Amino acid sequence: MKVGYFGDVTSMPIINVYSVIEECVEKGVNILISCGNLSDNYLKSLSIISELGRLAKANNIIYRFILGNKDLYYASNDAVIDKERKVRSILAVYAENDYWLTAHPIIRNDVRIISGESHYDYSFYRGKPTKLSSITKKRKWWYTNRDVWYLTDEADYTLGLYNTFDYRLTKELNDSLDARLTNANRMYGSAIRTVVCTNIVPHKSLLSSQGLFANYKGTFKGNVRFHNILKSHGIIECH
């Protein structure tokens, strides 16, 4: 069994789904998983997911997707007052999709592939992004990851991160991952190889409160917990 993974393609004008499937066929891929951020608008991401699923099925390839934070973004001109209601309504649409790995994990005799959807604690979109430097007063010229350059809501930091929806949703996602790994070990045993598909970097040393980003007001605490959950369950393989 050969599994193909890809994700974070928002820098491309549009993903060529035909080329993706063609490459899978050429390389003998049996299972294809897109690991988040197919676009920066949830409607576009849903369209890409639908087309990937259709083409994969036609070529006898199993397809699944997980969500990145940008797959939950919506048009910046939306007059959205309740960010929580908007994002949860988008999540509900994804939850009904038959290709969603969280609801439809892949279980085989020698491997289980599950989703590890989690986010940094500031990831969700509500209008025009705010420059990170204007919040933290830190220089940012050496960053390469634009997710680190921008926060979504200055008000989140005025109110305090731990009172915001962004933080609460990250916690819920981490709780879900912890529960699903516990349940999987109970059902299938810990000997089977487990692969967790994620859209973030589970790197505790880089993102801890004592690490490189210590002055960014705890924006990476959710990722530190994500790292700890993987470690506590003995997970060593992420894609």
Side-chain angles (χ1 to χ4, degrees), residues 91-110:
L91 280 169
V93 174
Y94 281 116
E96 295 177 354
N97 195 295
D98 291 338
Y99 299 119
W100 190 35
L101 186 62
T102 299
H104 304 281
I106 295 172
I107 308 296
R108 295 293 184 268
N109 291 332
D110 59 341

Side-chain angles (χ1 to χ4, degrees), residues 98-152:
D98 291 338
Y99 299 119
W100 190 35
L101 186 62
T102 299
H104 304 281
I106 295 172
I107 308 296
R108 295 293 184 268
N109 291 332
D110 59 341
V111 66
R112 59 188 173 214
I113 305 174
I114 67 174
S115 72
E117 289 175 336
S118 186
H119 304 285
Y120 305 121
D121 291 341
Y122 63 86
S123 294
F124 300 101
Y125 186 74
R126 184 176 61 189
K128 186 177 180 180
T130 302
K131 289 184 179 179
L132 183 62
S133 58
S134 69
I135 302 295
T136 63
K137 308 304 180 186
K138 286 283 185 176
R139 296 175 64 187
K140 60 178 178 55
W141 60 267
W142 45 274
Y143 288 127
T144 58
N145 183 353
R146 287 189 176 274
D147 280 351
V148 181
W149 289 15
Y150 294 104
L151 304 171
T152 53

Side-chain angles (χ1 to χ4, degrees), residues 8-214:
D8 273 326
V9 294
T10 54
S11 61
M12 301 170 61
I14 186 169
I15 178 175
N16 189 329
V17 295
Y18 294 95
S19 295
V20 172
I21 299 300
E22 284 176 4
E23 185 170 353
C24 288
V25 172
E26 289 174 3
K27 295 184 176 180
V29 169
N30 309 109
I31 298 172
L32 174 65
I33 300 175
S34 56
C35 295
N37 290 348
L38 293 176
S39 80
D40 56 4
N41 184 301
Y42 79 100
L43 293 174
K44 293 180 184 177
S45 292
L46 283 167
S47 177
I48 294 169
I49 288 165
S50 177
E51 191 68 358
L52 280 171
R54 183 185 69 82
L55 293 172
K57 185 176 182 180
N59 288 275
N60 297 314
I61 298 170
I62 297 172
Y63 172 65
R64 295 289 188 274
F65 72 90
I66 69 165
L67 298 172
N69 59 301
K70 294 179 183 178
D71 297 308
L72 299 171
Y73 286 5
Y74 40 90
S76 60
N77 58 355
D78 280 1
V80 177
I81 303 300
D82 189 343
K83 178 170 63 173
E84 177 168 0
R85 181 179 297 176
K86 182 71 174 181
V87 173
R88 289 200 186 280
S89 68
I90 294 171
L91 280 169
V93 174
Y94 281 116
E96 295 177 354
N97 195 295
D98 291 338
Y99 299 119
W100 190 35
L101 186 62
T102 299
H104 304 281
I106 295 172
I107 308 296
R108 295 293 184 268
N109 291 332
D110 59 341
V111 66
R112 59 188 173 214
I113 305 174
I114 67 174
S115 72
E117 289 175 336
S118 186
H119 304 285
Y120 305 121
D121 291 341
Y122 63 86
S123 294
F124 300 101
Y125 186 74
R126 184 176 61 189
K128 186 177 180 180
T130 302
K131 289 184 179 179
L132 183 62
S133 58
S134 69
I135 302 295
T136 63
K137 308 304 180 186
K138 286 283 185 176
R139 296 175 64 187
K140 60 178 178 55
W141 60 267
W142 45 274
Y143 288 127
T144 58
N145 183 353
R146 287 189 176 274
D147 280 351
V148 181
W149 289 15
Y150 294 104
L151 304 171
T152 53
D153 299 297
E154 187 170 1
D156 287 350
Y157 286 80
T158 302
L159 298 171
L161 182 65
Y162 296 104
N163 294 321
T164 67
F165 164 66
D166 293 45
Y167 169 79
R168 286 185 282 111
L169 184 56
T170 302
K171 182 179 182 302
E172 289 174 20
L173 292 169
N174 284 332
D175 287 345
S176 172
L177 174 62
D178 195 13
R180 284 182 289 110
L181 285 172
T182 299
N183 186 56
N185 284 336
R186 187 181 300 117
M187 292 179 64
Y188 306 106
S190 57
I192 187 173
R193 173 180 163 225
T194 300
V195 177
V196 174
C197 296
T198 182
N199 186 252
I200 64 173
V201 181
H203 197 319
K204 183 178 180 180
S205 62
L206 179 66
L207 301 176
S208 70
S209 58
Q210 292 79 37
L212 184 61
F213 298 98

